[in-house]
């Protein structure tokens, strides 16, 4: 077996997993790996969680898909639950994160059109990641994602991340701004977080200029950073929030939530999706969200995240390769002095799955279910890898 008939979009590691349980995965030879990636922040409940398996089986045996031409009770229930959790009013369901962001960008443009703005423009951030569709790769602040796919779409302006004055300065010079879109923690961009005062300041600016405040919580949402949504740690509410990844625990589903005037922008015909919000996806996501909340997994993410950061700070105190240990909840970054993507394959050898982003930042996204013993093993194995890497690069 080879992958020669697959388009060459990924540099894949030479391993395939046959099954998993919680934070553990097993390869074709039966070797056990500790999973500190969770399918890129997707499997918050870990692998093969019985509540998810049961929901899939139950709903698949009833009805999987009917289309949005008809009412979908599971979609209504999930919509209500997510609105209750988030303080939003309405939801549009998609199949992926990029599509949830496409919906948010369309909301921003409609908001602008209603104000008589012909070239509605969304402020996005340096090092942002918003997806791979043409509009979301334009919104992404990474030339590697965009290169070769020009012409990019119009209607985006770029500000420095975590710099409210950069947003103010664009607003002074550009009368077409209709929205600001930002990730609370930049997952692909190197695990940078917004300062505590940034979101309240942005909220005030958006109110003052009648802009939609859009948060991309595709990676930070669903408990990952210690609260269900990351913005819930800052005492404000956005107008629009998008999420995906952890929402389906591996079943593909995304959501664009909105409140107030932003929630009333779409009308029949404005937007749609054949699969989006189908009975199977919504029933599964409902089980995922219910389990996340009932098992207090956002709280566990906050606790274990702190435990991991403290543990790494201690274990790596004498390692001069380490520049910074950062992140929120179970979204952890360990920045090294030099490019370190080779460490991912070394980690595989050591039977732990990790990821490197932005070239020199080790990214850890373990399931939200991890316990102290698993966290200790992550600290032990990853620290050993960093020390070995550090010794070999001297
Ligand atoms: C993963 C991600 C996306 C894109 O989601 P897809 O499901 O891959 O389309 C967008 N924004 C952020 C912040 C992400 O982490």
């Amino acid at each position: 077996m080879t992958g020669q008939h697959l388009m060459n979009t990924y540099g894949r590691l030479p391993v395939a997993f046959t099954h998993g349980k919680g934070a553990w995965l097993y390869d074709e030879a039966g070797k056990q790996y500790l999973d500190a990636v969770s399918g890129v922040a997707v499997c918050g409940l870990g692998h093969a969680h019985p509540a998810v398996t049961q929901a899939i089986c139950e709903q698949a045996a009833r009805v999987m898909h009917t289309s949005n031409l008809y009412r979908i009770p599971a979609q209504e229930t999930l919509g209500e639950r997510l609105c209750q959790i988030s303080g939003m009013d309405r939801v549009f369901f998609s199949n992926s994160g990029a599509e949830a962001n496409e919906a948010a960008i369309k909301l921003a443009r409609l908001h602008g059109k209603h104000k008589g703005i012909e070239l509605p423009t969304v402020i996005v951030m340096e090092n942002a990641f918003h997806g791979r569709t043409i509009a979301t790769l334009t919104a992404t602040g990474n030339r590697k994602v965009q290169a070769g796919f020009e012409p990019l779409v119009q209607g985006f302006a770029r500000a420095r991340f975590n710099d409210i004055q950069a947003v103010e300065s664009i607003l002074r010079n550009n009368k077409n701004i209709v929205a600001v879109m930002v990730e609370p923690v930049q997952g692909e961009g190197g695990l940078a977080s917004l300062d505590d005062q940034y979101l309240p300041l942005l909220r005030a600016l958006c109110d003052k200029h009648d802009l939609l405040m859009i948060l991309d919580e595709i990676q930070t949402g669903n408990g990952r950073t210690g609260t269900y949504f990351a913005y819930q740690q800052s005492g404000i509410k956005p107008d629009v929030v998008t999420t995906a990844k952890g929402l389906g625990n591996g079943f593909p589903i995304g959501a664009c939530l909105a409140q107030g005037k932003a929630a009333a922008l779409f009308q029949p015909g404005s937007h749609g999706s054949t699969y989006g919000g189908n009975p199977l996806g919504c029933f599964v996501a409902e089980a995922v969200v219910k389990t996340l909340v009932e098992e207090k997994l956002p709280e566990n993410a906050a606790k274990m995240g702190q435990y991991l950061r403290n543990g790494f700070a201690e274990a790596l105190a004498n390692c001069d390769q380490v520049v910074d240990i950062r992140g929120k909840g179970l979204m952890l970054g360990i920045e090294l002095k030099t490019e370190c993507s080779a460490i991912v394959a070394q980690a595989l050898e050591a039977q732990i799955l990790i990821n490197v982003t932005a070239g020199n930042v080790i990214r850890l996204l373990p399931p939200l279910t991890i316990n102290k013993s698993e966290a200790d093993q992550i600290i032990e194995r990853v620290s050993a890898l960093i020390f070995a890497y550090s010794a070999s690069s001297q």
Side-chain angles (χ1 to χ4, degrees):
M1 254 192 322
T2 67
Q4 63 184 348
H5 292 293
L6 305 177
M7 286 208 193
N8 198 17
T9 47
Y10 288 95
R12 297 173 197 270
L13 291 162
V15 64
F17 302 108
T18 53
H19 63 289
K21 183 118 199 77
W24 301 88
L25 278 170
Y26 301 83
D27 73 9
E28 291 163 311
K31 238 162 121 184
Q32 187 193 39
Y33 300 79
L34 180 49
D35 185 3
V37 177
S38 308
V40 196
V42 167
C43 303
L45 297 176
H47 300 285
H49 193 290
V52 182
T53 308
Q54 196 199 329
I56 291 177
C57 295
E58 249 183 54
Q59 188 60 38
R62 276 194 297 262
V63 64
M64 294 201 328
H65 181 85
T66 54
S67 92
N68 286 298
L69 300 175
Y70 313 103
R71 278 188 50 217
I72 300 174
Q75 193 181 111
E76 294 168 10
T77 309
L78 177 63
E80 187 180 341
R81 185 185 286 275
L82 287 174
C83 284
Q84 239 163 33
I85 291 171
S86 64
M88 298 290 114
D89 295 327
R90 288 176 185 271
V91 192
F92 175 82
F93 288 107
S94 63
N95 312 294
S96 68
E99 285 174 277
N101 282 342
E102 287 277 345
I105 293 164
K106 285 177 77 170
L107 286 176
R109 288 185 167 194
L110 269 187
H111 173 64
K113 291 285 159 64
H114 289 186
K115 295 206 293 177
I117 295 176
E118 278 306 309
L119 187 70
T121 300
V122 180
I123 297 180
V124 288
M125 305 302 156
E126 287 176 6
N127 299 321
F129 183 80
H130 296 301
R132 301 283 193 158
T133 64
I134 294 291
T136 58
L137 75 83
T138 302
T140 290
N142 179 345
R143 276 303 299 159
K144 275 198 222 151
V145 172
Q146 299 170 339
F149 302 111
E150 297 83 0
L152 303 179
V153 300
Q154 287 185 293
F156 292 96
R158 183 94 38 207
R160 216 171 77 156
F161 183 73
N162 197 28
D163 180 351
I164 203 76
Q165 279 158 10
V167 174
E168 285 169 340
S169 139
I170 293 174
L171 287 172
R172 272 195 299 278
N173 299 311
N174 190 334
K175 296 298 152 213
N176 291 325
I177 303 300
V178 295
V180 182
M181 183 162 169
V182 61
E183 300 153 88
V185 182
Q186 290 187 322
E188 309 302 304
L191 282 298
S193 297
L194 294 169
D195 292 338
D196 289 343
Q197 71 274 20
Y198 184 93
L199 286 178
L201 289 171
L202 184 63
R203 180 67 273 175
L205 265 186
C206 288
D207 289 340
K208 183 172 159 207
H209 296 272
D210 188 25
L211 317 175
L212 295 190
M213 176 179 181
I214 304 172
L215 296 182
D216 178 343
E217 295 231 26
I218 286 162
Q219 190 159 156
T220 54
N222 308 295
R224 179 62 47 192
T225 71
T227 44
Y228 198 90
F229 288 103
Y231 68 80
Q232 292 170 321
Q233 292 163 49
S234 65
I236 55 95
K237 275 200 297 192
D239 299 295
V240 178
V241 58
T242 56
T243 194
K245 294 202 165 82
L247 182 56
N249 210 63
F251 193 94
I253 181 169
C256 173
L257 297 107
Q259 60 137 338
K261 59 182 186 293
L265 287 165
F266 282 160
Q267 295 300 321
S270 320
H271 197 42
S273 167
T274 298
Y275 291 136
N278 88 2
L280 182 58
C282 289
F283 193 76
V284 174
E286 166 73 10
V288 172
V289 178
K290 187 165 175 272
T291 308
L292 284 169
V293 173
E294 280 179 4
E295 295 186 1
K296 296 201 181 338
L297 293 175
E299 289 85 342
N300 193 56
K303 199 174 76 192
M304 296 317 297
Q306 196 54 52
Y307 184 78
L308 279 169
R309 268 184 298 279
N310 293 345
F312 274 118
E314 204 174 304
L316 296 169
N318 299 320
C319 184
D320 49 13
Q321 253 295 325
V322 176
V323 177
D324 191 22
I325 298 168
R326 59 174 175 258
K328 278 213 168 100
L330 286 175
M331 212 173 153
L332 255 87
I334 303 173
E335 182 183 343
L336 302 190
K337 270 189 193 146
T338 52
E339 209 278 337
C340 65
S341 37
I343 208 166
V344 174
Q346 292 158 10
L348 189 69
E349 288 290 306
Q351 290 167 254
I352 178 160
L353 307 181
I354 64 170
N355 176 252
V356 166
T357 183
N360 63 333
V361 183
I362 295 173
R363 175 169 57 161
L364 303 175
L365 302 158
L368 310 187
T369 52
I370 57 161
N371 57 33
K372 275 198 175 154
S373 145
E374 287 159 344
D376 286 335
Q377 294 179 66
I378 293 174
I379 296 166
E380 202 178 301
R381 294 193 202 183
V382 174
S383 300
L385 285 160
I386 294 174
F387 273 111
Y389 175 81
S390 160
S392 72
S393 64
Q394 240 139 47

